[in-house]
Amino acid sequence: MALPRTAESETTSEFAVPDGLAVPRNDAETTSEFAVPDGLEVPEPSAAEREGSAFGPPSIYSPLAPAAFTPPSGTPAVSLTKDIPWQDRMRTMLRMPVAERPAVETIQRTEDEGGPAVPRVLDLTLRIGELLLAGGEGAEDVETAMFAVCRAYGLDRCEPNVTFTLLSVSYQPSLVDDPVSASRTVRRRGTDYTRLAAVFQLVDDLSDPDTHVSLEEAYRRLAEIRRNRHPYPGWALTAAAGLLAGAASLLVGGGDLIVFVAAAVGAMLGDRLAWLCAGRGLPEFYQFTVAAMPPAALGVALTLAHVEVKASAVITGGLFALLPGRALVAGVQDGLTGFYITASARLLEVMYLFVGIVTGVLTVLYFGVKLGAPLNPDAALAVVNRPVTQIFASMLLSLTFAVLLQQERSTVLLVTVNGGIAWVVYGALHYVAGISPVASTAVAAGLVGLFGQLMARYRFASALPYTTAAIGPLLPGSATYFGLLAIAQNHIDKGLVSLAKAVSLAMAIAIGVNLGSEISRLFLRVPGAGSATGRRGAKRTRGF
């Protein structure tokens, strides 16, 4: 059938009125261009036409079916009960895309009808994030705390971001308003878990809808946290470093009093030298290098003096006080939670500090070997099994490690017990059951992480004070020493094997601690699981 030809001046739009259809025109009446004209009866399409139309509902459509998209009234809020720690509540929200987050809850801390100024809220958020990141918290926990502060003051459309030493946060009021961004660089970092606990308490109060904390009050409390002195004086930290080294020497088989005293004196000398280098502005690499020399020098001196002691226990005890276990755990945790840039930077930092320790110990061992010191790398094969002494030494090591981390006195006893339990589990698996040291270390570290996370949830605090010091007895000090000794004696293959074992033990500790924390979250109640929507956090895995 041939179509009629039309003139070029005629309208050929698909919205044109068909031929033969008269449409009455009323200029006085304003009508929509999409409205059906008066007098026009639109026939009801058949079922086949409805099914084939791109604008018609499918045949399986039912008005009683649940909505497939976000309803016009908005996404229902996730049920975030008060008995769940703010870390879990905010982590649930943070893992959602910003467009899918529920509406903000009732704000309790607005200073006036319009709320506090956005730049001041962002500044407070960055200051809190700076203290947490400088204290050693993981990147995800820092972002969670920053998001909690912003949300507490009504800034729900915010995006915090943490990249090792750089903190940034952006807030966009709506799709038509200009975003506001702020950033802050962490220049100095130091370990003070008492300050970390105080910051966590402040964030917990800000996240509690029943606690009214104005912006000025939050700034005042933050200033007090910054001004607070460390809970332990400098001489107590030096003494704790010595006791830690002595306890570590007992842990690896040095049962003599001379070994304990030599390891303690070497660690205290190394600690004072490190403080002296820090006061002169030297980087941490040189501080670790200098701190590793006195324990190694005392061990070599005892060997040259033909004193019947285990010089390896003296040197290993001094290494325990220097191994960067806290930074290693934080770096691996960031990698497991998807913060790969921060994880790479932290692991690189651990590598530099470890190289500094290696440089200091290798320098002393090299001169000791040249002077004829009878250092025996095969002594690593000897198995020392003294359960009572080792359990006592592991608990003393955890206690002194907690003091070095500036923990609150109320947490020292708990972390001491946690460290003793970790060593009991490791000894039962490795010495009694004959399981490999890497697997035994991973299981013991997993229990440390599980216990630490449970205590953190019970106290609404950070898990670091309950886990970091407890993994002290599991650190690979002896494997590191014997690897360095073999390298100093030109046994490169044997030394690299021992260092690879030390790296494997360190990774087992870090992964075990993180796995224990995740297991606690897996079996405990998750925010939003009991809500009407059942919404869960978005997957962190990339690639599909």
Side-chain angles (χ1 to χ4, degrees), residues 173-234:
S174 66
L175 295 178
V176 297
D177 293 327
D178 295 332
V180 181
S181 300
S183 62
R184 196 177 186 90
T185 301
V186 179
R187 303 291 182 184
R188 296 181 58 186
R189 285 175 294 170
T191 304
D192 188 346
Y193 283 177
T194 300
R195 177 180 295 175
L196 190 69
V199 177
F200 260 75
Q201 184 61 47
L202 174 59
V203 178
D204 182 46
D205 292 340
L206 292 175
S207 305
D208 189 359
D210 295 335
T211 304
H212 180 83
V213 181
S214 64
L215 196 62
E216 297 298 333
E217 176 68 14
Y219 267 108
R220 185 190 64 79
R221 290 179 56 178
L222 192 61
E224 290 181 355
I225 293 173
R226 285 181 174 274
R227 287 195 302 265
N228 280 347
R229 298 178 60 86
H230 299 306
Y232 308 102

Side-chain angles (χ1 to χ4, degrees), residues 308-329:
E308 295 297 329
V309 294
K310 278 190 174 183
S312 60
V314 177
I315 302 175
T316 302
L319 291 179
F320 265 83
L322 299 176
L323 293 177
R326 173 184 57 86
L328 176 67
V329 172

Side-chain angles (χ1 to χ4, degrees), residues 97-137:
V98 65
E100 298 181 7
R101 292 173 188 163
V104 66
E105 296 94 345
T106 304
I107 304 302
Q108 301 289 337
R109 286 157 290 278
T110 53
E111 296 180 355
D112 49 30
E113 188 172 335
V118 172
R120 297 195 65 199
V121 175
L122 298 185
D123 178 72
L124 176 67
T125 301
L126 291 174
R127 291 176 183 271
I128 291 177
E130 178 189 11
L131 289 180
L132 293 177
L133 188 62
E137 274 290 350

Side-chain angles (χ1 to χ4, degrees), residues 190-527:
T191 304
D192 188 346
Y193 283 177
T194 300
R195 177 180 295 175
L196 190 69
V199 177
F200 260 75
Q201 184 61 47
L202 174 59
V203 178
D204 182 46
D205 292 340
L206 292 175
S207 305
D208 189 359
D210 295 335
T211 304
H212 180 83
V213 181
S214 64
L215 196 62
E216 297 298 333
E217 176 68 14
Y219 267 108
R220 185 190 64 79
R221 290 179 56 178
L222 192 61
E224 290 181 355
I225 293 173
R226 285 181 174 274
R227 287 195 302 265
N228 280 347
R229 298 178 60 86
H230 299 306
Y232 308 102
W235 64 266
L237 299 180
T238 302
L243 290 176
L244 190 152
S249 67
L250 294 178
L251 200 62
V252 296
D256 299 331
L257 180 61
I258 299 178
V259 174
F260 185 93
V261 174
V265 172
M268 289 189 290
L269 288 176
D271 181 75
R272 288 293 91 190
L273 287 176
W275 276 101
L276 181 63
C277 293
R280 296 297 184 271
L282 290 179
E284 280 187 314
F285 176 87
Y286 302 105
Q287 297 176 28
F288 274 78
T289 301
V290 171
M293 288 183 174
L298 283 179
V300 172
L302 291 176
T303 304
L304 291 174
H306 301 286
V307 180
E308 295 297 329
V309 294
K310 278 190 174 183
S312 60
V314 177
I315 302 175
T316 302
L319 291 179
F320 265 83
L322 299 176
L323 293 177
R326 173 184 57 86
L328 176 67
V329 172
V332 174
Q333 179 182 357
D334 289 341
L336 295 176
T337 52
F339 294 85
Y340 301 114
I341 297 178
T342 306
S344 302
R346 279 184 164 170
L347 293 178
L348 185 62
E349 178 192 29
V350 171
M351 187 192 74
Y352 270 101
L353 299 181
F354 187 76
V355 170
I357 298 172
V358 168
T359 303
V361 176
L362 268 182
T363 302
V364 176
L365 292 181
Y366 177 78
F367 286 105
V369 172
K370 290 297 182 181
L371 293 175
L375 300 172
N376 183 17
D378 294 331
L381 302 176
V383 177
V384 180
N385 189 5
R386 291 180 297 182
V388 178
T389 302
Q390 289 178 324
I391 292 174
F392 170 77
S394 65
M395 297 181 68
L396 179 60
L397 193 152
S398 299
L399 187 148
T400 53
F401 202 175
V403 174
L404 287 176
L405 294 174
Q406 303 280 0
Q407 291 190 196
E408 292 180 298
R409 291 179 173 85
S410 60
T411 64
V412 171
L413 179 60
L414 293 174
V415 77
T416 301
V417 175
N418 197 11
I421 294 175
W423 182 258
V424 169
V425 173
Y426 171 79
L429 293 177
H430 179 52
Y431 295 115
V432 179
I435 301 176
S436 67
V438 176
S440 303
T441 301
V443 174
L447 290 179
V448 169
L450 178 61
F451 178 80
Q453 191 61 231
L454 292 177
M455 289 304 302
R457 293 176 66 93
Y458 175 73
R459 296 198 172 193
F460 284 47
S462 171
L464 287 181
Y466 304 100
T467 58
T468 305
I471 64 173
L474 305 176
L475 292 176
S478 58
T480 303
Y481 161 69
F482 287 112
L484 298 179
L485 177 59
I487 293 176
Q489 295 180 344
N490 291 325
H491 302 297
I492 305 300
D493 295 339
K494 186 183 296 184
L496 292 179
V497 170
S498 184
L499 290 180
K501 178 183 176 181
V503 173
S504 300
L505 292 173
M507 294 296 293
I509 292 173
I511 295 176
V513 171
N514 181 265
L515 182 61
S517 301
E518 295 299 330
I519 288 176
S520 68
R521 297 191 185 104
L522 182 64
F523 290 99
L524 296 177
R525 184 168 53 177
V526 178

